[in-house]
């Protein structure tokens, strides 16, 4: 297995690739290209960089945007729709902020670069949002909201999984309707990572109402954990059986 | 004159006929099923209340107002109210509120289109508390990756994910 | 001025008696029973449409937020669309209805009913949108978008509503009179499109239909039946009759003062049962005329193989009738009209004809039995306007009746002079035909003279 940890977008993106019949240097090269793409997206979409296209658009410096930015707009609108407004990049305090979706979207694009280079089995973890190349199932643990070194569950993932929460410093969730945040941690499994990313944010904010929406989506499951320690999950949400006894 | 009589007479007959013949079938079904539901609604308010954080109970209150029908808070000793989750109404779920007083069913009210409310309550009945005993050790779980809230690049160094990455690297 | 083909004189009765050939088709008397049965069915359906939401669970909508709006929205949708169903059946000119009410009566009721389905269905759309918006805490305009995109078939239902409202608007008298009749009629045809495309949302979303297969099936059958009635009576039977009888113009005969008789020849005319006073919608297959159908009364009982209509050339269309070429084919729809001998309730009749209205009176007269002793009043501005007067004279004479000719302007000859001429008017069925204004005024006069409204029968021509 070939791994890589690339600091980008204010977090670290982890690669996990099985070379299979490919030569490891080819896989490394593919990962290099994927990392280039991640940096490129960072340059374009970082809200921290004043020179990014996003920042300039937010400031009103530019009025026309690139195709890629357009694609992100579309995805944000779609995610806002699907989540009935609980994920609303336009309702962020500083203005339009697609960060809750761009990370997953960037990871998707990086994964497709790997696949185009022939890497059949790969997993990309962009700061906690995971997408995997189809054809193989990976066991992904979910960080326990209260204990940084422990898990609260394990999920078998063959598409994507995203988690949103308020327990990491710097992760600030906003409820577009102005109410409280429903969960300390919310996870969405299935579908495109970009959308799962947005839905996880929405689920953390909206709780049961968003879970209800997720319930109606085919192929997407989710769960969230409240501050009191209760876990609410959608009817198709399945946790993996553990091989051994827990601590 | 005779024409009006025929028309309006038939309208009345049709109206009376359909009321008499159709009968309140919905309600009989739901009473039978409602008796299976045992959790009275007020209990749900206590599940997530905890001494420290004010947010969970307000969360519930907030989501309750979002679902637009407040759960019955008047649980006086004489009355019990059971909420059951019922049949699919074709495009949404229907829930039935049965009011029982002195062991007699006093009222059966059907909430429809309030699918979210009944779903909410269904969730309440399934809530799984995450206790310390459910904390899993990462090593024994044999996982390939970790999903969590986004960590900063600095925090990564201390995170489980970095440990995993190093594990694989080996 | 005898015609070479069609001899309108009474003696043709003898002519027919001498004919060897099949018996002419008898016109069956309109059935009051069938008419009442249809009314009863309409009423039962209406009762069910109102009562069904109360028993089938729609009533439970009241309990939710926005519930009252939702319940009323659902019930108005059902009731309004049921009324639309009735309107379609009226438009089909179902014989059970048309033979009693006449085409004029059927259309009159169709028009009277028209605002109701429109109003109810509009209320239905507005209230349900408001109710959903309230339940979802969304603004109404935003909710429109969500509802239309979320629920199946609502895009077509919304388009259908737009079409219905549009047709309602152009049917308001002030607007309708400004649009050429054919254009208005073409636009009105879109109502069928609206009804068809909105059907899917009714069965997919209507609370009385979802999970209620019996109600769903009954509703579907009812609409299929209505469609079958329209296709049969507005298309199928007219096409069949036109093809069967193959009517063609054989003579165009001027009757004087802008009036012209058109003689048509056809096959199997003995099998075409027409009661005196009835009319057809005539579609002449000639350039510029084939796309319009106009009603003209058959101005004499048929003398197979010949049929006659007598028309006053007034508008663009009727002006061209005088130039019709011999051999022009005609398509027919009908016969329609309840201005017939079957409308009688009493033993004796009074016929009052104004101007070109004489055509209906003349045909009806020929259909009356010989012993009937009718009183006939012909009203015209001057002598030349008395078309077909000679035929009427002969027919009245054969029936031992009395003919009054009232010639002069309206000031010279007031309508109520008829009262003096016919002192026993209240004991007679009064048949009135002529222009709309003439008919209205004469009907008033008859009612004032004590004639029972059920005994007054009218045929008004829009001239």
């Amino acid at each position: 297995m070939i791994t890589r940890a690339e600091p980008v977008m204010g977090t670290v993106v982890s690669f996990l690739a099985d070379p299979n019949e490919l030569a490891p240097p080819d896989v490394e090269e593919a990962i290099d290209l994927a990392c280039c793409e991640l940096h490129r997206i960072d340059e374009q979409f970082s809200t921290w960089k004043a020179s990014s296209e996003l920042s300039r658009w937010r400031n009103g410096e530019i009025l026309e945007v690139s195709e890629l930015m357009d694609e992100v707009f579309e995805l944000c609108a779609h995610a806002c729709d699907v989540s009935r407004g609980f994920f609303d990049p336009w309702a962020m305090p500083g203005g339009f902020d697609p960060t809750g979706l761009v990370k997953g979207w960037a990871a998707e694009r990086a994964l497709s670069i790997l696949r185009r280079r022939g890497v059949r089995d790969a997993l990309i973890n962009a700061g906690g949002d995971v997408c995997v190349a189809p054809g193989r199932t990976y066991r992904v643990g979910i960080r326990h909201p209260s204990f940084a070194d422990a898990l609260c569950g394990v999920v078998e993932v063959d598409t994507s999984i995203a988690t949103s929460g308020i327990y990491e410093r710097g992760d600030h969730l906003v409820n577009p309707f102005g109410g409280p945040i429903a969960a300390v941690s919310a996870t969405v499994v299935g579908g495109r990572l970009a959308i799962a990313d947005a839905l996880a944010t929405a689920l953390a904010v909206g709780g049961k109402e968003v879970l209800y929406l997720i319930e109606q989506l085919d192929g997407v499951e989710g769960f969230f954990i409240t501050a009191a320690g209760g876990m609410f999950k959608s009817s198709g949400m399945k946790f993996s059986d553990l091989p051994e006894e827990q601590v | 004159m005779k024409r009006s009589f025929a028309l309006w007479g038939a309208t009345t007959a049709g109206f009376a006929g359909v009321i008499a013949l159709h009968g309140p079938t919905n309600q009989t079904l739901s009473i039978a099923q409602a008796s299976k539901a045992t959790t009275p609604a007020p209990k749900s308010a206590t599940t997530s209340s905890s001494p420290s954080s004010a947010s969970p109970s307000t969360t519930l209150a907030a989501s309750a107002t979002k679902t637009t029908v407040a759960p019955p808070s008047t649980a006086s000793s004489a009355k019990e109210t059971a909420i059951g989750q019922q049949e699919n109404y074709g495009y949404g779920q229907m829930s039935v509120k049965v009011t029982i007083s002195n062991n007699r069913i006093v009222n059966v009210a059907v909430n429809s289109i309030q699918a979210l409310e009944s779903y909410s309550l269904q969730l309440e009945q399934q809530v799984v508390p995450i206790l310390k005993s459910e904390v899993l050790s990462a090593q024994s779980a044999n996982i390939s990756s970790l999903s969590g809230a986004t960590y900063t690049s600095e925090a990564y160094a201390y995170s489980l994910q970095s440990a995993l990455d190093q594990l694989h690297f080996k | 001025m005898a015609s070479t083909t069609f001899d309108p004189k009474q003696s043709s009765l003898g002519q027919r008696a001498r004919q060897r050939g099949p018996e002419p088709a008898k016109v069956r008397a309109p059935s009051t029973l069938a008419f009442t049965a249809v009314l009863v069915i309409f009423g039962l359906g209406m009762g069910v449409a109102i009562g069904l939401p109360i028993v089938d669970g729609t009533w439970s909508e009241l309990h939710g937020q926005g519930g009252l709006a939702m319940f009323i929205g659902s019930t108005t949708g059902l009731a309004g669309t049921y009324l639309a169903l009735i309107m379609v059946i009226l438009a089909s000119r179902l014989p059970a209805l048309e033979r009693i009410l006449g085409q004029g009566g059927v259309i009159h009721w169709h028009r009277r009913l028209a605002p109701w389905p429109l109003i109810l269905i509009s209320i239905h759309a507005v209230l349900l949108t408001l109710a959903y918006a309230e339940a979802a805490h969304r603004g109404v305009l935003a909710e429109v978008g969500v509802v239309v995109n979320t629920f199946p078939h609502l895009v077509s239902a919304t388009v259908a509503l737009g079409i219905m409202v549009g047709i309602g608007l152009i049917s308001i008298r002030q607007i309708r009179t400004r649009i050429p009749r054919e254009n208005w009629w073409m636009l009105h045809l879109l109502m069928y499109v609206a009804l068809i495309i909105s059907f899917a949302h009714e069965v997919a979303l209507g609370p009385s239909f979802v999970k209620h297969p019996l109600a769903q099936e009954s509703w579907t059958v009812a609409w299929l039946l209505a469609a079958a009635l329209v296709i049969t009576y507005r298309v199928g039977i007219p096409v069949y009759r036109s093809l069967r009888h193959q009517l063609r113009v054989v003579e165009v005969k001027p009757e004087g003062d802008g009036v012209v008789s058109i003689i048509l020849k056809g096959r199997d005319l003995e099998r075409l049962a027409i009661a005196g006073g009835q009319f057809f919608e005539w579609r002449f297959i000639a350039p510029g005329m084939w796309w319009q159908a106009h009603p003209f009364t058959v101005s004499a009982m048929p003398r197979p193989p010949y049929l006659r209509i007598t028309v006053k050339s007034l508008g663009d269309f009727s002006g061209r009738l005088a130039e019709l070429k011999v051999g022009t084919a005609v398509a027919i729809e009908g016969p329609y009209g309840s201005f017939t001998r079957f409308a009688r309730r009493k033993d004796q009749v009074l016929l009052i004809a104004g101007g070109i209205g004489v055509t209906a009176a003349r045909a009806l007269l020929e259909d009356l039995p010989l012993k009937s002793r009718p009183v006939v009043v012909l009203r015209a501005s001057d002598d030349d306007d008395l078309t077909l007067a000679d035929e009427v004279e002969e027919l009245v004479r054969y029936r031992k009746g009395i003919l009054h000719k009232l010639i002069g302007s309206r000031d010279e000859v007031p309508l109520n002079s008829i009262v003096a001429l016919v002192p026993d008017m209240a004991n007679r069925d009064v048949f009135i035909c002529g222009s709309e204004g003439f008919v209205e005024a004469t009907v008033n006069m008859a009612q004032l003279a004590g004639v029972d409204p059920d005994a007054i029968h009218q045929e008004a021509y829009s001239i």
Side-chain angles (χ1 to χ4, degrees):
Chain A
M1 280 298 218
I2 297 180
T3 63
R4 177 91 62 98
E6 181 82 11
V8 67
M9 297 187 191
T11 181
V12 173
V13 176
S14 302
F15 291 79
L16 184 66
D18 190 341
N20 288 321
E21 61 276 355
L22 291 175
D26 291 334
V27 178
E28 295 284 354
E29 199 188 317
I31 296 179
D32 287 337
L33 288 169
C35 289
C36 276
E37 174 73 3
L38 290 173
H39 283 282
R40 211 166 59 80
I41 289 175
D42 198 12
E43 287 299 315
Q44 204 174 346
F45 289 91
S46 173
T47 49
W48 304 112
K49 304 185 182 162
S51 56
S52 76
E53 190 186 351
L54 179 63
S55 297
R56 288 166 65 214
W57 186 81
R58 273 161 43 130
N59 291 339
E61 276 173 55
I62 50 170
L63 295 168
E64 297 267 319
V65 296
S66 64
E67 245 180 66
L68 227 50
M69 178 76 76
D70 242 345
E71 191 182 320
V72 169
F73 277 146
E74 284 277 336
L75 273 176
C76 284
H78 175 64
C80 187
D81 248 344
V82 168
S83 66
R84 298 275 200 266
F86 280 99
F87 172 78
D88 191 348
W90 287 270
M92 295 296 128
F96 175 72
D97 188 350
T99 311
L101 178 147
V102 168
K103 202 156 42 70
W105 176 73
E108 278 180 12
R109 290 181 69 85
L111 185 66
S112 67
I113 289 177
L114 290 185
R115 293 178 64 201
R116 266 184 272 141
R117 304 294 289 195
V119 183
R120 278 184 298 118
D121 294 320
L123 176 152
I124 298 186
N125 185 332
D129 295 341
V130 180
C131 55
V132 312
R136 186 156 152 181
T137 307
Y138 295 80
R139 291 170 61 83
V140 177
I142 299 168
R143 209 207 92 149
H144 198 287
S146 314
F147 306 102
D149 58 348
L151 311 176
C152 64
V154 175
V155 183
E156 310 251 331
V157 176
D158 58 4
T159 44
S160 66
I161 180 169
T163 300
S164 189
I166 57 173
Y167 49 82
E168 283 284 345
R169 217 184 310 171
D171 207 347
H172 181 59
L173 289 175
V174 170
N175 184 338
F177 298 104
I181 308 296
V184 294
S185 171
T187 301
V188 171
V189 185
R192 288 184 63 167
L193 182 55
I195 302 296
D197 205 353
L199 284 178
T201 307
L203 186 56
V205 166
K208 277 183 274 179
E209 220 178 312
V210 180
L211 196 61
Y212 177 64
L213 296 169
I214 288 173
E215 190 77 63
Q216 334 261 339
L217 294 172
D218 254 340
V220 179
E221 306 294 340
F223 72 94
F224 66 93
I225 300 171
T226 60
M231 176 201 278
F232 298 82
K233 51 194 173 82
S234 65
S235 54
M237 183 74 230
K238 290 196 176 17
F239 292 99
S240 169
D241 289 334
L242 295 161
E244 282 125 88
E245 284 243 318
Q246 304 107 9
V247 163
Chain B
M1 199 36 142
K2 220 172 72 178
R3 295 175 189 177
S4 310
F5 178 74
L7 199 55
W8 295 113
T11 306
T12 315
F15 181 79
V18 77
I19 304 253
L21 294 174
H22 194 290
T25 48
N26 266 349
Q27 299 193 330
T28 9
L29 257 181
S30 47
I31 292 172
Q33 281 172 300
S35 57
K36 278 193 237 157
T38 50
T39 317
K43 213 187 201 177
S44 60
T46 59
T47 317
S48 51
S49 71
S50 68
S52 49
S53 41
S55 46
S57 27
T58 47
T59 305
L60 247 163
S63 58
T65 46
K66 258 196 200 26
T67 61
T68 71
V69 176
S73 47
T74 53
S76 62
S77 49
K79 277 189 185 177
E80 290 167 50
T81 305
I83 299 208
Q85 183 233 327
Q86 298 303 321
E87 68 213 42
N88 229 318
Y89 188 57
Y91 46 95
Q93 306 224 311
M94 201 159 67
S95 78
V96 170
K97 201 156 66 175
V98 178
T99 312
I100 301 167
S101 173
N102 297 329
N103 287 323
R104 268 177 49 242
I105 293 175
V106 164
N107 184 45
V108 180
V110 181
N111 307 320
S112 67
I113 313 292
Q114 301 315 312
L116 179 53
E117 193 214 357
S118 77
Y119 181 76
S120 267
L121 293 160
Q122 172 197 349
L123 280 183
E124 290 298 340
Q125 286 154 26
Q126 298 167 7
V127 69
V128 176
I130 303 283
L131 306 170
K132 178 120 215 262
S133 62
E134 313 247 341
V135 171
L136 310 165
S137 145
Q139 287 89 338
S140 53
N142 191 23
I143 55 174
S144 305
S145 200
L146 180 77
S147 179
T150 314
Y151 33 77
T152 59
S153 16
E154 296 84 14
Y156 166 79
Y158 309 107
S159 75
L160 207 43
Q161 181 63 29
S162 72
L164 281 173
D165 289 339
Q166 282 161 28
L167 208 70
H168 285 295
F169 186 67
K170 290 200 193 80
Chain C
M1 285 190 268
S3 146
T4 53
T5 50
F6 185 91
D7 182 0
K9 294 295 173 159
Q10 179 64 64
S11 57
S12 65
L13 264 183
Q15 185 185 48
R16 259 188 292 181
R18 283 192 290 275
Q19 252 172 353
R20 243 150 277 249
E23 271 295 307
K26 265 198 157 69
V27 180
R28 274 175 312 165
S31 163
T32 328
L33 183 61
F35 179 72
T36 312
V38 171
L39 285 188
V40 165
I41 292 173
F42 282 174
L44 284 174
M46 189 76 225
V48 170
I50 299 174
L52 199 58
I54 294 174
V55 291
D56 68 5
T58 314
W59 183 247
S60 63
E61 283 177 345
L62 281 173
H63 297 277
Q65 183 90 358
L68 186 63
M70 203 167 286
F71 177 69
I72 298 180
S74 299
T75 48
T76 46
L78 182 56
T81 316
Y82 178 79
L83 289 179
L85 177 70
I86 303 295
M87 289 197 46
V88 169
I89 297 179
L90 285 173
S92 75
R93 291 127 167 93
L94 179 65
L97 296 172
E98 196 278 333
R99 305 259 5 245
I100 302 277
L101 297 173
Q103 172 172 264
V106 160
I107 292 186
H108 166 77
W109 283 105
H110 178 96
R111 278 197 200 144
R112 265 186 83 169
L113 197 56
W116 294 104
L118 196 53
I119 291 171
L120 288 173
I121 292 174
S122 300
I123 292 176
H124 151 81
V126 167
L127 281 185
L128 280 183
T129 309
L130 286 175
Y132 282 125
E134 190 172 345
H137 295 289
R138 215 179 263 114
V140 177
L141 290 178
E143 187 64 25
V144 171
V146 171
V147 159
V148 167
N149 286 314
T150 310
F151 290 111
H153 312 299
L154 269 192
V155 177
S156 45
T158 312
V159 170
L161 180 61
I163 294 176
M164 281 185 186
V165 170
I167 292 177
L169 285 174
I170 63 166
S171 304
I172 297 173
R173 180 177 300 218
Q174 286 81 353
I175 302 179
R176 190 172 79 233
T177 46
R178 290 204 163 82
I179 308 175
R181 186 175 150 249
E182 290 71 37
N183 295 357
W184 179 87
W185 183 76
M186 294 279 192
L187 288 173
H188 190 81
L189 274 186
L190 288 175
M191 186 61 82
Y192 288 125
V193 172
L195 291 170
I196 291 171
I197 66 178
S198 58
F199 184 78
H201 97 282
E202 295 161 24
V203 285
L205 299 175
S208 297
F209 300 128
V210 170
K211 308 287 262 184
H212 290 97
L214 180 61
Q216 208 166 7
E217 281 155 27
S218 310
W219 185 250
T220 310
V221 165
W223 276 101
L224 285 176
L225 202 60
L229 287 176
V230 169
I231 292 171
T232 304
Y233 290 111
R234 300 302 309 280
V235 180
I237 292 195
V239 166
Y240 168 72
R241 285 201 177 132
S242 305
L243 290 176
R244 183 188 186 186
H245 298 293
Q246 300 266 320
L247 287 165
R248 273 170 212 288
V249 175
V250 292
E251 189 181 341
V252 178
K253 179 167 162 284
E255 302 279 2
D257 199 41
V259 176
V260 72
S261 280
I262 302 170
I263 318 289
L264 303 125
K265 183 175 177 181
R267 301 188 295 187
D268 288 351
L269 277 189
E270 316 79 35
R271 310 301 334 150
L272 187 58
I274 306 174
Q278 286 196 304
F279 63 93
F280 285 87
E281 298 271 354
W282 301 89
R283 193 180 293 270
F284 293 93
I285 316 297
M289 299 174 93
W290 61 270
W291 49 281
Q292 303 177 38
H294 286 253
F296 298 119
T297 308
V298 174
S299 58
M301 295 301 286
R303 283 136 173 70
Y306 298 109
L307 199 61
R308 181 183 79 173
I309 59 176
T310 305
V311 184
K312 189 171 178 97
S313 24
L314 272 172
D316 313 307
F317 181 83
S318 40
R320 271 181 276 180
L321 289 173
E323 333 248 288
L324 268 178
K325 286 209 192 70
V326 168
T328 309
V330 193
I332 50 174
E333 184 184 339
Y336 291 136
S338 59
F339 193 82
T340 65
R341 72 179 197 271
F342 299 105
R344 288 176 304 157
R345 286 152 195 268
K346 301 182 196 282
D347 295 327
Q348 304 202 286
V349 305
L350 164 63
L351 307 186
I352 308 175
I356 196 62
V358 70
T359 48
R362 161 37 194 116
L364 174 55
L365 200 49
E366 189 179 349
D367 210 13
L368 289 175
L370 284 173
K371 287 185 288 205
S372 57
R373 308 181 70 108
V375 173
V376 178
V377 175
L378 295 185
R379 174 83 187 88
S381 326
D382 53 59
D383 225 346
D384 293 332
D385 274 348
L386 278 181
T387 327
L388 307 183
D390 49 341
E391 296 175 28
V392 173
E393 274 172 20
E394 197 203 25
L395 289 165
V396 169
R397 197 166 57 239
Y398 265 88
R399 281 157 187 77
K400 316 234 184 314
I402 304 169
L403 175 64
H404 300 286
K405 296 187 197 176
L406 295 179
I407 303 170
S409 69
R410 257 178 285 185
D411 304 317
E412 291 164 356
V413 188
L415 262 183
N416 52 21
S417 50
I418 298 176
V419 182
L421 288 172
V422 192
D424 64 346
M425 200 192 297
N427 296 336
R428 293 177 179 264
D429 275 284
V430 182
F431 288 83
I432 304 165
C433 41
S435 66
E436 279 169 354
F438 175 81
V439 167
E440 193 181 333
T442 313
V443 167
N444 274 340
M445 178 273 295
Q447 283 175 334
L448 287 171
V451 183
D452 182 7
D454 286 341
I456 302 178
H457 318 286
Q458 45 183 293
E459 190 78 87
Y461 293 161
S462 43
I463 294 171

